[in-house]
Structures are given as structure tokens and as C-alpha cells.
Amino acid sequence: MKDEKIIPEEKNKPKENETKGPSNFIRNIIDEDLETGRYKKVHTRFPPEPNGYLHIGHAKSICLNFGLAEDYGGLCNLRFDDTNPVKEEVEYVESIKRDIKWLGYDWGDRLYYASDYFDQLYVWAIKLIKDGKAYVDDLSPEEIRAYRGTLTEPGKESPYRNRSVEENLELFERMRKGEFKEGEKVLRAKIDMASPNINMRDPVMYRIIHATHHRTGDKWCIYPTYDWAHGQSDSIEGITHSICTLEFEDHRPLYDWFIEQLGIHHPRQIEFARLNLSYTVMSKRKLQELVKGGYVSGWDDPRMPTLAGLRRRGYTPESIRDFCERIGVAKADSMVDIALLEHCLREDLNKRAPRAMVVMDPLRVVIENYPDDKTEELEAVNNPEDPSMGTRKIPFSKVLYIEKNDFREDPPKKFFRLAPGKEVRLMHAYYITCVDVVKDEKTGEVVELRCTYDPETRGGWSKDGRKVKGTLHWVSAEHSIPAEVRLYDHLFTRENPDDPREGKDFKEFLNPDSLKVLKNCRVEPSLANAKPGDHFQFLRHGYFVVDNRDSTPDHLVFNRTVSLKDTWSKIEKKK
Ligand code: ATP
Ligand code: MG
């Protein structure tokens, strides 16, 4: 994969106090743990499985784990949960590191892998076998599932459950040596097949997988399960608060059980609700389906909810952190409106994006009373929100482009833009009046407007107090630069494409109009040196970013990051 431009980490770092959010139930637990002396410090971790790119849901977990550590003067580790050699790839490890840095967080020298602990986990497994708390089972995966029982019925004990310690030690050793095929044997914890919590019904600790691991190579052919690896990895690293999503709530008794049997440092697992966002899907498995099936151009397709996709789309780390802060943490699952994420983005870009004039669908305008060879440099402010961003010069000349849809031959009543005989303001320039319309002889399509300008209105203001209702953006035909602009819409047509009540595959709700490519745009010349990742507000069109993959100095490509219309602030006002 080609390297994309990453904004330097330093600049992205959260400002002091930025993460000091309002109190929430996790902070309350931590405060209590520090007060009672259960822990003396706060040490968290972010534990991604390297089986895909990070998405905005992960950003919530990253902001939470790194944010809490920062606020409490503690530490946060990055630990790859690489216990499944089949699904995991080095590309994912690298992308995850890049995305966390981009968000502005730093794990210092604490980059770990669950695979670092395979030796220790193996030693601990032997201890559990010796203590009579783990056994080798010959049941097939299907039989294990069938024996497990249901929520209402207890499970059934495996006929191999009461093997002697010696036999278990010998079989486990032979499992490790590779004497058995996949699925032939597993190591299970011996807990309680009648437990009301299914996770406690003799959960599997090791399964046989004959595959090469990205870090341990062919050293192992038995791999620990998530349940067996996770808590022990937390313990080894001295984690105090192991924050995870709600689906692990029922695993907590098992998390605690392993640690108690081993008598090792005991982190506290705390669960919170995962982030769901409207008009998208969030699971890595589904995102991978979109990538592999060619429904999107890659993990960093600007329509994807991945951090790489959001970055390419033009999202800033600040806006994502702000969003994560505003949604807070909860104990119940809910769906967050994507309009809130866009609102956070607009607020940030409004402050930082210089303004520019870009015509997406050009219509030629000739100013009849303007000298043929003259070019004027008109002054324009870069950002009315921030005078320190200065001004720039925009060339004005006899032939201009305006948007096709800013002209109507037969304007409806409230159409205040250009029409035959009507006068409008060209932003930062002059008042112009349309005096004639040139059409294509064959098609009848309007191909050129003939206009006059009023030299007394330089800068866009008339000295005689004459008012016009419409203000249009424009570019000088000769001086403007061609560019490609990509407009995006939601990737899905449904708020929840995953809704099981629909009984349909989520891909059926893919939005066929989620990408529109405009190839004949004209941008003002000040954008000639725009670099990948640079943001702009194109007047009247929205916020745009220079694409970090396809844009070159000879062929500028802009992505529309977000439109100007803020539906969230409307929702807020109505409340
Ligand atoms: P996915 O189903 O998307 O693959 P996951 O939970 O399997 O998600 P992991 O790589 O295991 O992905 O997750 C790393 C961390 O990020 C975990 O602590 C997990 O709980 C958290 N996380 C994942 N998805 C979300 C989400 N939507 N909201 C909040 N936290 C999340
Ligand atoms: Mg997972």
C-alpha cells in the first residue's frame, strides 16, 4: 500500500485538559479504587486484534483508555491481541499503530503483543492442569457445542473430563508438539458444566491451529483463546482497569476465575456500551467484506468508517476526539446519529479551513464591457472566522466561469441568482448583469452568458447603495486550474443496515449514489500548491480536502469532507 501523508504527531496531541471529560461511571469506579487503595495508579490498555483496520468505534475506546490514563497521570499500553494466526496480518498491525498516532496518542515504549506471553500462558496452563483445574478434551468442536447446553438447560460433562493429571499433562505436551490434527483435542478449564453462565461451562483455553504466526512463526501449533489470553495479559502488564465493551460482561466471572486460580495481580474489568453510528456498519468482519468484495476502493475509501477512511475524507483528529468526548460512555447500547460526528467536524473546520472559490459545473461568462487583456488582482479574506489567516489575491478577467445552476433562463419567483436582465454580485469582485444568452444551435443548451459589469462596484459593494439579492462564486477562466472533485454520501441508505429485523444482508442497503465524481471543475489559482491533507471551505459547497492517494500537482483531486448544511445544529435547536 502506498504511504499516505500523516500530519505530524506533535500537532495532533490533545491539548492539556482537553480530555478531562465530565464524570462518568468509569471515572467513579476508578476514583473509588484509588480512594480505597485497591490500586495506587491507573494503568489501562488498548487491545486491538490485528484482523482489520481501526474504525470510529475503536476511536472511542482509544480516547477512553488513553484519555483516562492521561487524566489520572497513569499509563496506557498498546497490546495487539494476536492469538489467532489465521486472520491476522502485519499490514493491520502497521495501520493500527499509524491510526492511533494520528489520533494523537502515544504508547511510549509500551507496545506489546499477546503472543509475547505465549510461554508464560503455557506455564500457567500446566499449573492449572496440575491443580486439577484444566483437562484435555477429545470431543469435536460440534460435540463441545452440543454438550454446552443452553441458557435454560445445564451442560453435560465430557467423558474425558476426569482424566488423571498425568494423562492430561502428557496429552497437552503432545498437543504442543504437533502430534494431533486441528479439532482433535482442546485444553479446557474445569469449572462447572451446570453454571448458569455459559462462559463458565468448561471454556476452551487452547485449540490446535497448524498455521504460521506473524510473530512466533511455527513455534506453536496450540493457540490460547481470547478468554485465556486476555486477563492474564492484562495481569502481566500490571493493568489496573481493563475497559472493554458490553459483550464481555458475561465473561467477567471467567476473567476473575482464571486470575484467582493463578493468584496473580488482579485488574478490574469494566464494560461500556460500544459505539454504533447511523448509516454505516462497524464490525471489522463486515468492513472487510466490503473491501474484499470490491464494494469500496479499500480500507481507506473515504466512505468507510475506518480511521484511514475518515482521514482521507478529511476528518481531523481533533473533531474525532471531540465527538468521542461528547458521546460519553454509557452502560446501554444505542445508536449515535452520524450528523453529530459531522457537526463536530464542521465546528473544527470552520475555524481552520481557508476559503476558496471553486466552480464544479462551469458555465462560461463573458463580460462585454471589460477590457480584453486586463487582469485585476482582487483581495479576498481567507477566513472570516479568523482574521489572522490573512487575505489572498484572486485574478479577475474578461472571461469567467460560474456554476451552471446559478443561472436560469426562466427563473422561478424566489430565484435570486443570475437570469436574463438580472443583476448579481460576484463574490469579492463586481456586480454583473446578464444581457444575452448564447445557446448551442443543435441542442439549445445554454453555453455562454454575455454580461456587463459595473466598474463602480469593485470589491462587490455598490457606492450608490444599490442592493442585489444574489452573491455567486466564480473563477477566471484563464487563471483557474482544472480539478477533479469527489462528492460522497452515506455508504448505506438505511440508518441501521445491520438491523436483524430487516432479515437482509447489510450489503443490500449499500447506497448506489454514495460517490459522485466531477471531472471538469475549475479551482481558483491559489489552490495550485495545495498539498494532500490540506483543508478548504469551497464557498457555498462545503469543506474539502486534497486527496491523500490520488491527487498530484498535475491532477488535483479533492474529496468533499462534509457539506455546509448542519442537520445536527437544527436538531439541537429544536430540543
Ligand atoms: P469488531 O467487531 O469491529 O472487529 P472488536 O471488538 O472485535 O470489534 P477489537 O480489535 O477486538 O475489535 O477491539 C479492540 C478494542 O476496541 C476492544 O477493547 C473493543 O472493545 C473496542 N471496540 C471495538 N469496537 C468498538 C465500538 N464500536 N465502540 C467502542 N469500542 C469498541
Ligand atoms: Mg474481535
Side-chain angles (χ1 to χ4, degrees), residues 23-305:
S23 81
N24 58 47
F25 77 95
I26 297 181
R27 282 167 190 273
N28 294 344
I29 293 172
I30 294 177
D31 289 340
E32 198 184 302
D33 283 345
L34 293 173
E35 238 162 68
T36 61
R38 175 166 173 174
Y39 304 113
K40 305 243 160 346
K41 50 160 193 161
V42 172
H43 201 149
T44 56
R45 86 286 170 264
F46 174 65
E49 187 184 351
N51 60 346
Y53 278 58
L54 296 182
H55 51 59
I56 180 89
H58 292 112
K60 176 171 178 177
S61 176
I62 293 168
C63 292
L64 190 57
N65 279 296
F66 281 94
L68 285 169
E70 244 159 53
D71 289 358
Y72 285 91
L75 296 169
C76 180
N77 298 356
L78 169 60
R79 183 200 317 139
F80 286 102
D81 177 13
D82 58 349
T83 50
N84 185 345
V86 182
K87 288 190 293 178
E88 294 155 6
E89 284 177 35
V90 179
E91 180 197 343
Y92 299 142
V93 169
E94 292 311 313
S95 77
I96 289 170
K97 288 198 262 183
R98 185 166 56 201
D99 288 345
I100 298 172
K101 283 192 182 167
W102 177 71
L103 267 185
Y105 295 106
D106 188 359
W107 54 86
D109 55 0
R110 295 172 316 283
L111 168 61
Y112 302 114
Y113 296 83
S115 56
D116 294 341
Y117 312 132
F118 283 176
D119 286 299
Q120 177 66 71
L121 289 170
Y122 182 74
V123 170
W124 277 336
I126 289 177
K127 174 181 160 48
L128 289 192
I129 295 175
K130 285 185 177 161
D131 293 346
K133 287 167 184 162
Y135 63 97
V136 173
D137 195 356
D138 296 3
L139 292 183
S140 69
E142 298 74 41
E143 287 168 322
I144 290 178
R145 215 170 298 129
Y147 276 52
R148 194 177 287 135
T150 64
L151 283 175
T152 48
E153 284 166 54
K156 209 163 77 179
E157 293 189 355
S158 162
Y160 305 99
R161 194 174 197 262
N162 293 314
R163 281 179 160 149
S164 69
V165 168
E166 289 67 35
E167 195 184 354
N168 279 320
L169 285 174
E170 191 213 318
L171 288 173
F172 187 48
E173 171 69 5
R174 290 176 57 198
M175 275 171 69
R176 185 186 63 79
K177 281 187 177 159
E179 291 186 21
F180 304 112
K181 292 200 285 287
E182 292 189 9
E184 228 178 304
K185 288 193 167 35
V186 291
L187 184 75
R188 298 177 73 175
K190 193 170 179 177
I191 309 181
D192 178 7
M193 287 308 290
S195 171
N197 183 336
I198 293 182
N199 294 298
M200 301 299 273
R201 295 182 190 168
D202 293 9
V204 172
M205 295 166 62
Y206 277 97
R207 65 261 201 248
I208 297 168
I209 304 176
H210 291 287
T212 305
H213 185 277
H214 75 120
R215 299 194 84 232
T216 59
D218 294 319
K219 179 175 177 190
W220 298 92
C221 64
I222 53 171
Y223 288 94
T225 55
Y226 172 89
D227 283 319
W228 172 237
H230 200 83
Q232 282 52 256
S233 303
D234 282 345
S235 179
I236 291 169
E237 292 176 16
I239 299 305
T240 55
H241 299 87
S242 177
I243 300 167
C244 60
T245 35
L246 278 186
E247 69 273 22
F248 292 105
E249 193 165 17
D250 292 341
H251 294 239
R252 187 173 359 118
L254 179 57
Y255 183 102
D256 293 337
W257 188 88
F258 279 134
I259 282 175
E260 278 157 23
Q261 303 313 309
L262 296 170
I264 54 179
H265 164 74
H266 199 150
R268 180 203 284 274
Q269 178 180 304
I270 306 171
E271 309 86 18
F272 71 101
R274 59 172 54 226
L275 165 67
N276 298 303
L277 199 60
S278 60
Y279 296 102
T280 191
V281 292
M282 209 82 100
S283 111
K284 276 181 281 180
R285 187 179 60 72
K286 290 188 175 130
L287 296 176
Q288 184 157 58
E289 239 182 285
L290 296 177
V291 174
K292 297 229 156 124
Y295 298 96
V296 293
S297 65
W299 284 98
D300 67 348
D301 187 298
R303 292 165 293 180
M304 291 279 270

Side-chain angles (χ1 to χ4, degrees), residues 357 359 362-368 370 374-376 378 394-403 418 424-427 429-432 447-453 472-480 522:
M357 293 203 286
V359 175
L363 174 60
R364 203 176 135 90
V365 173
V366 178
I367 311 291
E368 293 188 330
Y370 197 83
K374 187 173 168 182
T375 300
E376 269 179 276
L378 299 169
I394 304 176
F396 184 89
S397 63
K398 187 177 179 82
V399 184
L400 312 170
Y401 290 123
I402 63 165
E403 298 288 349
L418 206 53
V424 296
R425 172 190 295 117
L426 292 183
M427 185 87 181
Y430 292 101
Y431 284 14
I432 61 166
V447 290
E448 183 180 297
L449 303 180
R450 310 294 295 189
C451 296
T452 56
Y453 85 116
L472 311 185
H473 61 274
W474 54 275
V475 294
S476 159
E478 181 192 339
H479 303 91
S480 62
R522 307 288 307 189

